[in-house]
């Protein structure tokens, strides 16, 4: 436990099967610990954390003072008992939280793994006992126990498949390969003799990088990330594999990215610490004033009473008397901040937590999971959130892809329902196709009829989907197909083709076997033109059984439509409209096309492709050029639209949270296209936005330049939109130019290539500060920012932080793509540091843990990626949509209740305590208390504790439904309006005013008052009872005025506390107790005699009126002259209740109702066009398939196909990982053959034959010359066609398309007008909504979530037995 920490590593050396050698380096064990305490450290560490609260230290100091008898007028147990109670309650809560962390750690550490021990067989060991250098056996669907070097696998060529959802949130499969020299060591006996040594980099948090070397048998082999299996991954589709432990426990990349558990405190807690210091300073000032008064009085007046009132023995002069008097008054006046305040705060927070746990509207019946408040200290912070950082996969989406719509030959399919029409019926494919997937859902019968009648375009459409992919098929029994797709997109497309009669059955490296309309057909696979992020498309070239060769291509519409033959112009226009509609619905789109090839064209291209593939330099560029050469002049087939199913209610939740002025950032490990597509689906991004900026620079300078250009565009839009006078904008423009590194008067043309030397010199200077944040915050318009992971790495550097923050925080939505778990936490920390705003992070996987721990509030989604996020979170539930209720209802109420509680608590205690201060001037500054000591003890414990607790737990200004309908009600919490330093001073001012009234009004009246018998009333005990009674009545009336929502508990506690005061006071002043304890009860009979006097009740009534009437007057004036939003909502509710007219449908209900169908849009979308392309595919699988390395074939077949690709696919991936590829540019022209007819000839109508004309021997390939130009074009393609760009520019309106230029995605559409709003908004206060809450604008741009009526039931992409 207390082992000395080893020095930081410069490199790591690991020898297989040699624990003695590895233990010399003191590497960490595989035991993880996410808890904060253990049995030994709990008490000191927890007490240290608790005494960081200034209040706890303050009460400890008072306790020490009370132990000194010379200055204490109160018993010490009055402080130590509540202090111990507060410390104990907090300690028990912290211990409980940490217990669950220990429990989670033990569950993980005690998992079983099979470890190979030297000279023996496999033995089962707990994960915590695994050591660096051990060899571990993994089986299918098992979690990887540590960071392993893959040694061998049951799959061919040492391949294995993993799912990395716990690391980066992606559920698509990734492939890893062992070093070739170890791939044959599949037997445990051989592995037991393996003694290779690995020298590699020290532990780090880079998920996508590993550099090392394997030394074995006097040879060395390079190791990369493709050889590593990281902890947290899951083995998929691989029977067994073996790995060597390189990093264990806290050294693994997963734990390096997890972050530390932090002690979280709310902003109110921090403010309370400051206020306690101020109050203590105020207390010291009062003590000094009274001590000085004591010194003066003792010197001038007290000396006259020395004969019969001598000083106590320690006191021998007036100075020492004043010194003791100071400390006595510190003790007496300490009730301005009683310790009961902190006990009450903990009780209120506990009650709020139970309300969250008991909320039935946050209970998910599907997974039987309720919301859970895993901490009780952050509830009121839920009402102050300004930034939400969300994961995408599993948090916003279900990661289930469904085939929803398609466009074939200009005809769209899938639009089958009207928003208000009946629900459609799911098509039954079983009678038509016995191989159909029963889980597939589609509702448009016209598409199925088109297939049945034999429409050639429809058949070719689905034939393309069944052939152009990299899916692997496993047929466990006749007709029972299981598709193993590398991405869920491909799985959805191949499954769609399967159900419509074009069933992909199996593949070899050179063939694809399908069943087309019940007939088996085998195609010869001639080539796969693989997908990558630059090409944004993939193609296959196949030969049908009749010998015809055809290229099939699918990809992003923005790249594929440029490569069509000119005769497709009319069809392209129609399909583009369909693609725009699909993208507007948030669907992921792909365009489909084909091209017929002659034998001569194929042979010529095949030769150039072989030359490019064998090239030793610029291989990737050469291959890309050959792909570009053949993928031209294609014929358009149509387009697909896949829905990445969002979780229920995600668009509505984001829209409502946006109305509440909460900015939502999505931090995802997914690629840019996928993240942007989801951004549009969930309405974070809309076509009505002013501009969407893409930041994708690879260097610091390029990222800085793009961020500056984005800010320039924002200010330029604000000028154009508002038409502000040039004089007013001079300051903004000057700030912009200063922030962009230009001298005054220098134009923006200096940025770019034409800027000259002056511009370059300016960019080389130290970066100037960005424009002031208050200028950027005031810029109108709706902007969004999309930034890639490599650009974000530069943006997070110290000299770039403010550039990034000032730009991103001006945007309404921010999407960060390809980010690591650590980068997620860094983004959160950046906003916490520079914006001083409350942040909330929400996620569902282990890759979100660091982000959840870094944010002020962490929320875990109990989803499909394990429970790591839930265990690290402060709150958890099962659906993202519950976040709306957590913040706008529970968070807002908690903040409101806590603020009202604190305001009232400080008020009542200042009113109570300051009476002692005024009394000091009339009692010779002798530290005499005004009240009976039992009243002082019981005031905060009995008389006033329960009413304020009831208000703090149950109070609400508006019902929960109104909180959701009027999101603007949330803003006071963000602006911290309900409890701040100003409100605090108002409360204590009211308390001081009340104390003045409560002291001087009874004092003035009773000075000359007499009883009915003529006996004077001016005695100490009568005055004390009168003042105490008036105080209790005034504070009870005050809390009755402050309570906005009365429950049975409020009535019982308020009136019960008032009754208990009189009951207890009469009992304490009775003769019975006096006879039993004559030295303890000195006020015998005072209550009875005092309360029988009419003048006393008149005095109490007068004091109460003087205290309460000004408060009522001020509140009525504020309500009439300057009402708050909650006042308006309450008034609206009262008016509606009085009219007693049913609303028909509330705003929120209408919203959710229209969200039930994907076609039921709330308003028309803008006219701008954008691509809905998103394809979650990984480069390299095409080459993997054609190499045959992932298929179990005979040695003869493998030898035949291995010659076709001499370069390893894994080497291709490695080169691409470390080589910078410039962004692609669209070609302006393309060669075009003669236009073919509009009908699509079918490729196959007979049984299959195996074709192998492509196969060549190694000698033939070696003899091929490498000097041939890969750009060579066959003679038949030499004609040049007019460019597609020219045609499209001539035919489309000027402001119609969306332009993608210089990394900026610009939407040129105008705002939706009032008439675009949905007719389902049945609310009578439309004018008020439009003026106060902006409902009309959101109606025009907020669409509902994915339609359960249209959406298909999901089929799992990868099926594992």
């Amino acid at each position: 436990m207390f082992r000395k920490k080893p020095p930081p590593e410069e490199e790591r050396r690991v020898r297989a099967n040699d624990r003695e050698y590895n233990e010399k380096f003191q590497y960490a064990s595989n035991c993880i610990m996410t808890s904060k305490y253990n049995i030994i450290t709990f008490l000191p560490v927890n007490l240290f954390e608790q005494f960081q609260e200034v209040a706890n230290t303050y009460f400890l100091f008072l306790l020490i003072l009370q132990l000194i008898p010379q200055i204490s007028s109160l018993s010490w147990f009055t402080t130590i008992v509540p202090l111990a109670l507060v410390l104990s309650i907090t300690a028990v809560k912290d211990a409980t939280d940490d217990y669950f962390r220990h429990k989670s750690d033990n569950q993980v550490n005690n998992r079983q793994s099979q470890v190979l021990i030297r000279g023996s067989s496999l033995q089962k060991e707990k994960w915590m006992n695994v050591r660096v250098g051990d060899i571990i056996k993994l089986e299918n669907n098992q979690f990887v126990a540590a960071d392993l070097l893959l040694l061998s696998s049951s799959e061919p060529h040492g391949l294995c498949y993993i799912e990395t959802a716990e690391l980066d949130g992606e559920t698509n499969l990734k492939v890893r390969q062992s070093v070739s020299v170890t791939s044959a060591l599949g037997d445990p006996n051989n592995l037991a003799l393996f003694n290779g040594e690995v020298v590699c980099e020290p532990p780090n948090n880079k998920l996508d990088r590993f550099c090392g070397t394997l030394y074995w048998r006097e040879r060395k082999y390079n190791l990369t990330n493709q050889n590593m299996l990281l902890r947290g991954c899951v083995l998929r589709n691989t029977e067994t594999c073996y790995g060597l432990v390189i990093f264990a426990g806290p050294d693994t990349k997963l734990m390096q990215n997890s972050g530390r558990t932090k002690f979280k405190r709310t902003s109110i807690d921090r403010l309370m610490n400051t206020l306690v210091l101020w109050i203590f300073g105020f207390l010291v000032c009062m003590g000094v004033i009274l001590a000085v008064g004591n010194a003066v009085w003792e010197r001038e007046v007290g000396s006259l009473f020395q004969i019969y009132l001598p000083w106590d023995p320690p006191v021998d002069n007036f100075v020492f008397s004043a010194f003791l008097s100071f400390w006595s008054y510190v003790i007496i006046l300490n009730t301005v901040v009683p310790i009961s305040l902190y006990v009450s705060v903990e009780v209120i927070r506990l009650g709020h937590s139970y309300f969250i746990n008991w909320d039935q509207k946050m209970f998910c019946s599907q997974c039987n999971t309720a919301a859970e408040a895993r901490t009780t200290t952050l509830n009121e912070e839920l009402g102050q959130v300004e930034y939400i950082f969300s994961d995408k996969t599993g948090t916003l989406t279900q990661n289930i892809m469904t085939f929803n719509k398609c466009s074939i030959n200009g005809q769209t399919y899938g639009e089958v329902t009207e928003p208000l029409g009946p629900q459609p019926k799911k098509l039954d494919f079983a009678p038509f196709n016995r191989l159909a997937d029963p889980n597939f859902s589609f509702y448009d019968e016209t598409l199925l009829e088109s297939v049945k009648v034999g429409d050639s375009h429809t058949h070719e459409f689905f034939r393309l989907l069944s052939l152009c992919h990299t899916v692997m098929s496993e047929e466990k029994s006749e007709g029972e197909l299981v598709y193993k797709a590398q991405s869920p997109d491909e799985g959805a497309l191949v499954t769609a083709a399967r159900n419509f009669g074009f069933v992909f059955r199996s593949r070899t490296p050179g063939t694809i076997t399908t069943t087309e309309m019940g007939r088996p057909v085998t195609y010869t696979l001639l080539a796969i033109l693989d997908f990558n992020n630059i090409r944004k498309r993939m193609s296959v070239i196949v030969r049908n059984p009749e010998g015809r060769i055809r290229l099939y291509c699918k990809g992003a519409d923005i790249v594929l439509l440029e490569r069509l033959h000119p005769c497709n112009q009319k069809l392209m226009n129609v399909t583009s409209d369909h693609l725009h509609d699909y993208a507007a619905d948030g669907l992921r789109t792909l365009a489909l096309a084909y091209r017929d090839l002659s034998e001569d064209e194929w042979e010529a291209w095949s030769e150039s492709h072989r030359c490019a593939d064998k090239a030793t330099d610029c291989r990737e560029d050469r291959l890309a050029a050959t792909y570009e050469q053949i993928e031209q002049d294609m014929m358009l087939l149509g387009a697909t639209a896949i829905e990445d199913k969002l979780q229920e209610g995600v668009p509505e939740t984001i829209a409502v949270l946006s109305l509440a002025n909460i900015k939502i950032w999505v931090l995802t490990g997914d690629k840019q296209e996928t993240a942007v597509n989801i951004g549009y689906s969930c309405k974070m991004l809309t076509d009505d936005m002013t501009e969407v900026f893409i930041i994708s620079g690879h260097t610091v300078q390029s990222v800085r330049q793009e961020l500056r250009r984005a800010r320039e565009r924002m200010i330029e839009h604000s000028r154009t939109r508002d038409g502000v006078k040039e004089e007013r904008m001079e300051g903004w423009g000057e700030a912009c130019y200063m922030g962009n590194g230009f001298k005054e008067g220098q134009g923006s043309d200096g940025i770019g290539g034409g800027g000259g030397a002056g511009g370059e010199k300016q960019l080389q200077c130290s970066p100037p500060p960005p424009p002031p944040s208050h200028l950027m915050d005031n810029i109108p318009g709706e902007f969004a920012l999309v930034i890639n992971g490599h650009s974000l790495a530069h943006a997070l550097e110290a000299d770039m932080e403010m550039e990034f923050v000032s730009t991103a925080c001006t945007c309404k939505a921010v999407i960060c793509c390809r980010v690591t778990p650590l980068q997620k936490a860094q983004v959160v920390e950046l906003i916490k540091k520079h914006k001083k705003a409350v942040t909330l992070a929400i996620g569902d996987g282990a890759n979100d843990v660091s982000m959840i721990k870094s944010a002020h509030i962490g929320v875990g989604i109990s989803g499909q990626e394990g429970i790591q996020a839930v265990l690290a979170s402060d709150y958890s539930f099962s659906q993202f949509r519950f976040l709306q209720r957590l913040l706008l209802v529970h968070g807002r109420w908690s903040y409101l209740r806590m603020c009202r509680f604190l305001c009232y608590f400080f008020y009542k205690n200042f009113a109570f305590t300051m009476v002692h201060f005024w009394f000091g001037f009339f009692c010779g500054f002798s530290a005499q208390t005004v009240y009976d000591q039992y009243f002082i003890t019981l005031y905060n414990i009995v008389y006033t504790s329960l009413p304020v607790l009831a208000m703090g737990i149950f109070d609400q200004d508006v019902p929960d439904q109104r909180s959701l309908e009027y999101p603007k009600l949330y803003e006071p919490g963000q602006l911290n309006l309900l409890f701040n330093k100003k409100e605090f001073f108002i409360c204590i001012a009211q308390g001081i005013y009340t104390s003045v009234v409560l002291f001087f009004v009874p004092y003035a009246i009773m000075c000359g008052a007499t009883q009915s018998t003529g006996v004077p009333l001016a005695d100490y005990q009568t005055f004390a009872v009168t003042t105490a009674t008036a105080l209790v009545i005034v504070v009870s009336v005050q809390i009755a005025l402050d309570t906005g929502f009365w429950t049975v508990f409020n009535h019982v506690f308020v009136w019960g506390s008032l009754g208990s005061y009189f009951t207890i006071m009469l009992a304490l002043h009775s003769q019975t107790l006096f006879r039993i304890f004559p030295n303890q009860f000195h006020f015998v009979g005072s209550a009875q005699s005092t309360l029988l006097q009419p003048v006393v009740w008149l005095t109490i009534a007068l004091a109460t009126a003087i205290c309460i009437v000004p408060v009522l007057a001020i509140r009525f004036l504020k309500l009439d002259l300057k009402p708050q939003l909650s006042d308006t909502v309450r008034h609206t509710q009262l008016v509606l209740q009085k009219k007693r007219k049913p609303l028909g449908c509330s705003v929120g209900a209408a919203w959710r109702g229209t969200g039930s169908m994907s076609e039921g849009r709330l308003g028309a979308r803008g006219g701008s066009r954008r691509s809905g392309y998103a394809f979650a595919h990984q480069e390299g699988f095409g080459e993997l398939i054609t190499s045959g390395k992932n298929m179990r074939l005979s040695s003869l077949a493998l030898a035949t196909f291995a010659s076709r690709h001499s370069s390893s696919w894994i080497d291709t991936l490695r080169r691409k990982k470390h080589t910078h590829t410039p962004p692609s540019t669209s070609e302006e022209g393309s060669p075009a053959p003669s236009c073919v007819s509009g009908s699509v000839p079918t490729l196959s109508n007979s049984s299959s034959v195996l074709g192998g004309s492509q196969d060549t021997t190694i000698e033939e390939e070696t003899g091929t010359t490498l000097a041939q130009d890969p750009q060579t074009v066959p003679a038949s393609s030499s004609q040049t066609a007019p460019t597609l760009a020219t045609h499209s520019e001539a035919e489309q309106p000027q402001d119609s398309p969306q332009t993608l230029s210089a990394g900026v995605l610009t939407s040129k559409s105008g705002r939706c007008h009032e008439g675009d709003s949905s007719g389902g908004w049945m609310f009578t206060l439309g004018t008020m909504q439009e003026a106060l809450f902006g409902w009309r604008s959101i109606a025009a741009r907020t669409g509902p979530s994915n339609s359960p009526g249209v959406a298909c039931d999901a089929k799992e992409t990868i099926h594992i037995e």
Side-chain angles (χ1 to χ4, degrees), residues 181 209 257 262 266 280 311 324 410 473 537 560 601 640 739 753 767 772 853 966 1049 1321:
V181 70
R209 184 176 66 83
N257 276 282
K262 297 181 179 180
T266 66
F280 184 72
W311 285 325
L324 294 180
S473 175
R537 62 190 183 277
L560 195 130
E601 288 176 325
T640 63
K853 289 181 178 180
Y966 300 91
F1049 297 101
W1321 294 72

Side-chain angles (χ1 to χ4, degrees), residues 463-483:
R463 182 175 292 114
L464 185 152
L465 294 182
S466 68
L467 296 174
C468 187
H469 56 79
T470 58
V471 174
M472 301 297 294
S473 175
E474 180 180 350
E475 192 162 356
K476 296 187 175 183
S477 61
E478 180 63 28
E480 185 183 353
L481 293 171
V482 177
Y483 290 150

Side-chain angles (χ1 to χ4, degrees), residues 1021-1318:
Q1021 293 185 344
T1022 301
F1023 176 77
V1025 171
T1026 304
T1027 305
T1029 305
L1031 173 66
V1032 172
I1033 292 176
V1034 167
V1035 297
S1036 297
V1037 173
Q1038 183 66 47
I1039 198 169
L1041 294 176
D1042 289 345
T1043 301
F1045 182 72
W1046 284 86
T1047 65
V1048 174
F1049 297 101
N1050 293 84
H1051 283 287
V1052 171
F1053 288 166
V1054 171
W1055 313 125
S1057 295
L1058 199 58
S1060 68
Y1061 163 72
F1062 289 103
T1063 304
I1064 294 173
M1065 182 179 64
L1066 291 173
L1068 292 176
H1069 293 184
S1070 66
Q1071 293 185 5
T1072 305
L1073 286 179
F1074 176 74
R1075 293 192 188 101
I1076 300 173
F1077 306 102
N1079 296 326
Q1080 299 295 326
F1081 297 95
H1082 306 294
F1083 278 60
V1084 57
S1086 298
Q1088 292 85 341
S1089 62
T1090 302
L1091 297 179
L1092 290 175
Q1093 304 302 319
V1095 67
V1096 171
W1097 286 106
L1098 290 174
T1099 302
I1100 293 172
L1102 179 62
T1104 303
I1106 295 174
C1107 290
I1108 298 300
V1109 168
V1111 176
L1112 286 174
I1114 292 173
R1115 292 191 179 182
F1116 275 119
L1117 287 174
K1118 285 182 63 178
L1119 191 63
D1120 190 50
L1121 301 178
K1122 194 178 179 182
Q1124 295 181 352
L1125 190 55
S1126 57
D1127 300 326
T1128 307
V1129 173
R1130 280 200 304 272
H1131 176 71
T1132 302
Q1133 188 175 1
L1134 289 173
V1135 170
L1136 293 176
Q1137 287 176 351
K1138 288 181 179 180
K1139 289 183 177 180
R1140 294 185 178 180
K1141 291 182 179 180
L1143 288 177
C1145 182
S1146 67
V1147 176
W1151 199 334
R1152 283 184 292 276
T1154 54
S1156 62
M1157 301 297 294
S1158 61
E1159 285 79 10
R1161 301 291 160 185
L1162 289 178
R1165 303 188 62 89
S1168 62
R1169 292 186 181 277
R1170 63 174 176 83
S1171 171
Y1173 159 73
F1175 194 50
H1177 205 280
Q1178 185 184 14
E1179 180 183 1
F1181 268 69
E1183 193 169 348
L1184 175 63
I1185 287 173
T1186 54
S1187 68
K1189 291 186 176 182
N1190 63 333
M1191 303 179 189
R1192 301 181 182 277
L1193 300 174
S1194 65
S1195 58
L1196 177 61
L1198 265 177
T1200 304
F1201 291 115
S1203 63
R1204 293 169 52 190
H1205 287 273
S1206 59
S1207 176
S1208 170
W1209 71 274
I1210 206 79
D1211 292 336
T1212 304
L1213 285 182
R1214 291 171 185 159
R1215 283 195 295 270
K1216 281 199 171 288
K1217 203 73 175 177
H1218 300 290
T1219 305
H1220 167 64
T1221 307
S1224 63
T1225 56
S1226 59
E1227 285 72 13
E1228 295 183 358
S1230 58
S1234 57
C1235 184
V1236 295
S1237 62
S1239 61
V1240 181
T1242 58
L1243 265 180
S1244 66
N1245 48 19
S1246 61
S1247 60
S1248 62
V1249 292
L1250 271 170
S1253 63
Q1254 179 197 355
D1255 301 333
T1256 56
T1257 63
I1258 297 177
E1259 290 77 16
E1260 289 174 341
E1261 286 190 353
T1262 308
T1264 305
T1265 174
L1266 298 179
Q1268 182 179 354
D1269 186 358
Q1271 300 288 346
T1272 303
V1273 190
S1276 60
S1277 303
S1278 59
Q1279 288 184 328
T1280 304
T1283 63
L1284 291 178
T1286 306
H1287 284 278
S1288 61
E1289 288 174 6
E1291 294 181 11
Q1292 294 181 351
Q1294 185 175 356
D1295 60 345
S1296 172
Q1298 237 177 351
T1299 58
L1300 183 62
S1301 174
V1304 179
L1305 184 64
T1306 308
S1307 174
K1308 298 185 180 180
S1309 64
R1311 298 286 175 195
C1312 293
H1313 297 291
E1314 187 176 323
D1316 295 331
S1317 59
S1318 172

Side-chain angles (χ1 to χ4, degrees), residues 701-851:
Q701 289 292 357
S702 60
V703 172
R704 178 180 285 116
Q705 194 168 343
E706 290 177 2
L707 289 172
R708 290 172 177 173
R709 190 179 296 117
R711 287 200 301 275
E712 283 182 354
R713 294 283 296 162
M714 291 179 189
I715 296 175
E716 183 181 327
H717 275 295
S718 68
R719 289 176 174 174
T720 305
R721 174 178 173 175
D722 295 338
V724 183
K725 294 181 180 179
E726 192 66 23
E727 293 87 344
R728 287 187 63 186
M729 296 303 296
E730 272 183 6
W732 287 30
E734 191 174 318
C736 176
Y737 289 137
M738 288 175 61
N740 287 309
F742 298 117
K743 297 178 181 178
E744 188 173 354
Q746 182 176 351
S748 61
D749 292 336
I751 294 182
E760 294 176 5
K761 182 177 179 181
Q762 190 68 29
L763 286 175
Q764 290 171 0
C765 299
S766 59
S773 59
H774 68 275
L775 290 182
M776 296 300 296
D777 291 340
N778 292 330
I779 290 180
E782 292 185 353
F783 303 94
L785 184 76
V786 179
I787 184 168
N788 281 301
H790 52 78
S791 304
L792 184 63
H794 297 305
L796 293 175
E797 294 179 6
D799 60 336
M800 286 281 290
E801 284 183 354
M802 285 308 300
E803 295 268 3
F804 175 63
V805 170
S806 62
T807 306
C809 291
T810 309
C811 299
K812 180 183 175 184
V814 176
I815 298 177
C816 302
C817 318
R818 290 295 186 193
V819 293
T820 65
L822 190 63
Q823 282 180 326
K824 292 184 178 184
Q826 289 173 340
V827 171
V828 175
E829 292 288 355
L830 190 67
I831 298 302
K832 288 171 62 178
K833 173 183 175 183
H834 291 288
K835 300 303 290 185
K836 307 298 181 185
V838 177
T839 58
L840 181 146
I842 179 170
D844 71 322
N847 59 313
D848 305 313
V849 168
S850 57
M851 173 178 70

Side-chain angles (χ1 to χ4, degrees), residues 110 129 280 540 561 996 1061 1204:
N110 289 320
N129 296 328
F280 184 72
V540 295
L561 297 182
V996 170
Y1061 163 72
R1204 293 169 52 190

Side-chain angles (χ1 to χ4, degrees), residues 544-607:
N544 77 338
E546 296 178 343
R548 298 181 59 181
I549 301 174
R550 179 167 288 180
L551 176 145
Y552 290 109
C553 181
K554 66 181 180 185
D557 53 327
I558 54 177
V559 296
L560 195 130
L561 297 182
E562 296 175 349
R563 291 162 173 79
L564 298 178
H565 194 276
C567 66
N568 288 270
Q569 188 63 50
K570 183 177 179 180
L571 177 60
M572 185 178 71
N573 292 338
V574 177
T575 306
S576 295
D577 290 336
H578 294 161
L579 285 166
H580 168 65
D581 293 338
Y582 300 158
D585 287 338
L587 303 178
R588 300 156 67 104
T589 60
L590 290 174
L592 310 183
Y594 72 94
R595 176 185 175 183
D596 285 316
L597 300 175
S598 65
E599 284 290 344
D600 293 338
E601 288 176 325
W602 158 246
E603 291 296 337
W605 182 86
S606 177
E607 185 66 25

